[in-house]
Amino acid sequence: MNGHAYSIEIDQVSKRFGHGSEATLALDTVSLNIRTNEFFTLLGPSGCGKTTLLRMIAGFEEPTSGDIRLDGVSLTGKLPFQRPVNTVFQSYALFPHLTVEENVAFGLEMLGRDRAAVREAVTRMLALVKLSDYARRRPHQLSGGQQQRVALARALAPHPKVLLLDESLSALDLKLRKDMQVELKRLQRETGITFVFVTHDQEEALTMSDRIAVMGRGKLQQVGSPEEIYDRPVNRFVADFIGETSFLTAEARGRTLEFGAAGRLAEGALGTTAQGPVALAARPERLRLSEDGGLTGIVSEVVYRGADTLYLVTLADGQNCRVRHTNRLGARERAVTGDRVRIAAEPGAFQLLTGEAGHA
Ligand SMILES: Nc1ncnc2c1ncn2[C@@H]1O[C@H](COP(=O)(O)OP(=O)(O)O)[C@@H](O)[C@H]1O
Ligand SMILES: [Mg+2]
């Protein structure tokens, strides 16, 4: 541990590749602080600049402008091996001719640690990733998940202050990925190392992270806990990228919402107060089909999905809205296509969207 609240400070960092008309602005004045011992995730669609940001923390790229600090000290000009940072890539990049324990020992030997210390660390790391019985095998004798754990053990062995993980679970199949999500979270807790995890998979981000930074088009869109990101997306980009969302417009009167011909939702449907025309987002599970609902519409589609059913409703003012109900054993469908229905909302179900990023 150290005296700094923040492990990594990204301070107004921009990155431009190429020159003139060929130039790409991969990152546009991104500022964010990652706490010590945090499981922090960079989440966003392909091409939004996640890998670029990770490579700048690792030292494989330098920012075009701005500064990155680790424990309060600028990393500018420091070479990758001078930074107390390790990276785990999507491809495990294990040495095929070395055994599991030799792979894990490699980084430590490069650092010039003595034999006893290397041996001790390798034993501890293999126990941590539950591969003690596989020490003498070579990578090709392991499953994908086991290889990924060797790569993790190798990266964790020198006890870096920060571990960077770039789409590190994407190559694994679903079941294994789920197991590894739990495993990674455990490793982060047990080692006390700051993890910066990159993914385009929202579910993965919501499952594992202490906090998430949502990135889009080279810009930071929102930083917050999984709950904040899911329940209070600040703009259309975030609301659209994470989870299912209906986007609606209405007239706000304090905390009530008027939808013209479709009706009105009483006090509290809007989490905050506002006046006049507003852009709104609502999660389908925060709405329900109910006789006493304030909105009217017609069901345009019913999508059965096992655990739940999604009802697509065209409201009387022409807007489209999604409502989701959890399915209970023996319960009948609540509505069929063409039914006239009413929709009610939980308090705070509607989220006010702000910011220029809302206009995609
Ligand atoms: N070395 C490079 N030269 C030119 N453009 C690059 C380079 N690396 C990344 N880019 C561009 O920067 C943007 C962000 O890329 P990247 O950070 O790899 O995104 P992500 O990891 O989120 O998919 C993309 O438009 C990509 O084409
Ligand atoms: Mg990438």
Side-chain angles (χ1 to χ4, degrees):
M1 292 288 270
N2 58 71
H4 291 274
Y6 294 121
S7 175
I8 300 171
E9 292 160 275
I10 314 281
D11 187 2
Q12 309 246 358
V13 166
S14 294
K15 179 65 181 181
R16 190 182 301 277
F17 290 108
H19 299 281
S21 60
E22 303 284 283
T24 306
L25 190 59
L27 281 178
D28 186 359
T29 31
V30 169
S31 289
L32 60 91
N33 294 327
I34 298 170
R35 294 173 189 145
T36 303
N37 300 344
E38 190 167 40
F39 197 118
F40 193 91
T41 298
L42 302 173
L43 172 67
S46 177
C48 74
K50 306 181 296 294
T51 294
T52 300
L53 185 52
L54 219 58
R55 287 172 59 80
M56 289 193 293
I57 297 171
F60 302 122
E61 301 278 359
E62 284 289 335
T64 306
S65 61
D67 192 24
I68 299 176
R69 290 183 290 277
L70 198 148
D71 293 342
V73 179
S74 175
L75 290 174
T76 304
K78 285 211 166 90
L79 296 170
F81 71 87
Q82 295 169 321
R83 303 181 183 206
V85 169
N86 260 346
T87 310
V88 181
F89 299 97
Q90 182 179 345
S91 61
Y92 321 126
L94 298 176
F95 302 113
H97 56 288
L98 299 184
T99 64
V100 166
E101 61 186 355
E102 287 164 351
N103 264 282
V104 176
F106 184 82
L108 298 166
E109 284 163 356
M110 291 294 284
L111 289 170
R113 305 277 168 86
D114 67 63
R115 284 178 76 116
V118 171
R119 189 174 266 303
E120 189 274 330
V122 169
T123 304
R124 194 156 37 83
M125 283 304 132
L126 289 182
L128 196 63
V129 298
K130 304 196 171 114
L131 284 177
S132 302
D133 296 340
Y134 297 80
R136 300 288 158 82
R137 293 213 192 171
R138 287 178 207 282
H140 75 270
Q141 296 169 311
L142 301 174
S143 71
Q146 289 166 338
Q147 289 181 42
Q148 181 59 284
R149 273 145 61 199
V150 177
L152 271 169
R154 188 177 60 179
L156 287 167
H159 205 87
K161 286 188 172 166
V162 177
L163 188 69
L164 307 174
L165 302 110
D166 194 354
E167 311 263 8
S168 303
L169 304 184
S170 316
L172 304 176
D173 63 38
L174 183 65
K175 174 76 173 68
L176 206 51
R177 197 156 73 232
K178 298 255 180 215
D179 292 347
M180 279 304 292
Q181 288 173 6
V182 177
E183 200 75 342
L184 262 191
K185 189 78 192 145
R186 177 183 68 84
L187 284 173
Q188 187 261 337
R189 257 195 327 264
E190 290 181 7
T191 57
I193 292 172
T194 305
F195 276 36
V196 185
F197 184 79
V198 160
T199 183
H200 61 271
D201 181 333
Q202 46 146 327
E203 194 242 280
E204 199 162 271
L206 292 172
T207 308
M208 291 196 286
S209 316
D210 293 317
R211 287 190 308 148
I212 299 169
V214 182
M215 296 170 58
R217 300 183 214 96
K219 287 194 169 141
L220 186 64
Q221 304 285 336
Q222 185 172 2
V223 182
S225 67
E227 293 82 0
E228 282 164 348
I229 297 284
Y230 187 82
D231 287 330
R232 295 192 291 284
V234 294
N235 61 35
R236 191 180 175 110
F237 183 93
V238 176
D240 203 20
F241 189 69
I242 295 168
E244 273 184 291
T245 311
S246 300
F247 293 104
L248 299 160
T249 56
E251 286 281 326
R253 305 263 177 268
R255 289 158 65 90
T256 68
L257 292 168
E258 295 180 359
F259 290 83
R264 70 193 279 280
L265 290 171
E267 192 61 31
L270 182 61
T272 49
T273 60
Q275 292 295 335
V278 286
L280 302 164
R283 302 292 187 194
E285 71 272 21
R286 309 281 188 242
L287 305 176
R288 62 183 194 281
L289 301 181
S290 169
E291 300 283 303
D292 61 2
L295 297 182
T296 58
I298 290 175
V299 175
S300 61
E301 211 170 317
V302 178
V303 185
Y304 176 78
R305 301 191 297 193
D308 53 46
T309 297
L310 185 69
Y311 300 88
L312 306 183
V313 178
T314 304
L315 298 176
D317 67 350
Q319 299 193 79
N320 291 311
C321 188
R322 297 165 160 249
V323 179
R324 190 159 90 208
H325 280 275
T326 303
N327 291 324
R328 309 207 185 288
L329 273 180
R332 291 183 39 239
E333 273 181 341
R334 282 157 200 273
V336 296
T337 304
D339 278 359
R340 277 188 77 82
V341 290
R342 301 185 81 88
I343 296 174
E346 278 181 26
F350 284 85
Q351 194 62 31
L352 204 60
L353 297 177
T354 53
E356 46 90 40
H359 306 286

